[in-house]
Amino acid sequence: MDFKNCVAYDLDGVLAEAPPARPKSFFKSTGPERKEWNEFLAEWYKQTKPLLRPTDEPFIVITARKCREPYKSITVHWLALNMPHMNWKLFMHEKARTLKNVIAFKGEVLRLMEATKFTEDNKKVLKGVKELAPNCELFHFDGKESIPFTK
């Protein structure tokens, strides 16, 4: 299936409920605290609630979730379970999750896939992506509805 010229969605905060903020930054956390957080995230990703159900098919899912196990298989399983019989393609982030890297990653996917629309919950990401994928119509999801993003 060709996924060019599709609608794209962020995962956490748009298609799925976003996890809570990390209690301590990565650099201030000890090894055991980092391990505990990673285990918490894996459980969160397995059980997170769906928020928005796409109406366009096929569609693209772009997430800043780490593209490594167990997150990758958990994410694929969650999408299959919560978006059954829907045609989607998943793109997961592989670099450090800085705002700059996330914007570059999402902008690159949108541009390469020639996405027509993108829904995201983070306005900072939308602002950066706007410059990288100028032909993509952007929407901010506030937890209830998607609003055109023009800023």
Side-chain angles (χ1 to χ4, degrees), residues 4-142:
K4 288 228 178 199
N5 299 302
C6 288
V7 174
Y9 298 90
D10 174 43
L11 183 55
D12 294 313
V14 177
L15 297 180
E17 188 177 25
R22 187 182 191 121
K24 271 182 163 178
S25 75
F26 176 83
F27 296 107
K28 291 183 180 179
S29 300
T30 64
E33 289 171 328
R34 290 176 186 165
K35 184 176 189 263
E36 184 180 324
W37 178 253
N38 288 337
E39 289 169 358
F40 168 81
L41 273 183
E43 284 306 309
W44 179 274
Y45 292 157
K46 286 177 188 175
Q47 301 173 27
T48 189
K49 298 175 192 166
L51 294 177
L52 180 70
R53 182 168 297 278
T55 56
D56 301 285
E57 280 192 77
F59 61 91
I60 299 166
V61 179
I62 308 172
T63 182
R65 287 185 185 181
K66 297 172 186 166
C67 185
R68 64 176 169 134
E69 294 302 337
Y71 307 121
K72 188 172 183 178
S73 58
I74 290 169
T75 302
V76 168
H77 179 75
W78 187 92
L79 284 165
L81 185 67
N82 290 283
M83 309 289 165
H85 313 295
M86 297 185 88
N87 295 312
W88 47 266
K89 183 171 183 164
L90 175 64
F91 293 87
M92 296 182 79
H93 190 55
E94 294 185 5
K95 295 183 179 177
R97 287 182 8 161
T98 64
L99 180 61
K100 182 179 177 182
N101 285 348
V102 170
I103 289 169
F105 164 68
K106 290 184 177 187
E108 179 74 6
V109 172
L110 292 171
R111 197 171 42 72
L112 286 174
M113 298 305 295
E114 299 172 13
T116 57
K117 296 178 184 176
F118 177 54
T119 303
E120 165 72 51
D121 65 316
N122 186 322
K123 288 184 177 181
K124 290 178 183 177
V125 171
L126 285 168
K127 185 177 180 184
V129 162
K130 187 174 185 176
E131 297 173 18
L132 298 173
N135 296 326
C136 185
E137 190 177 1
L138 304 177
F139 293 86
H140 176 252
F141 185 70
D142 66 2

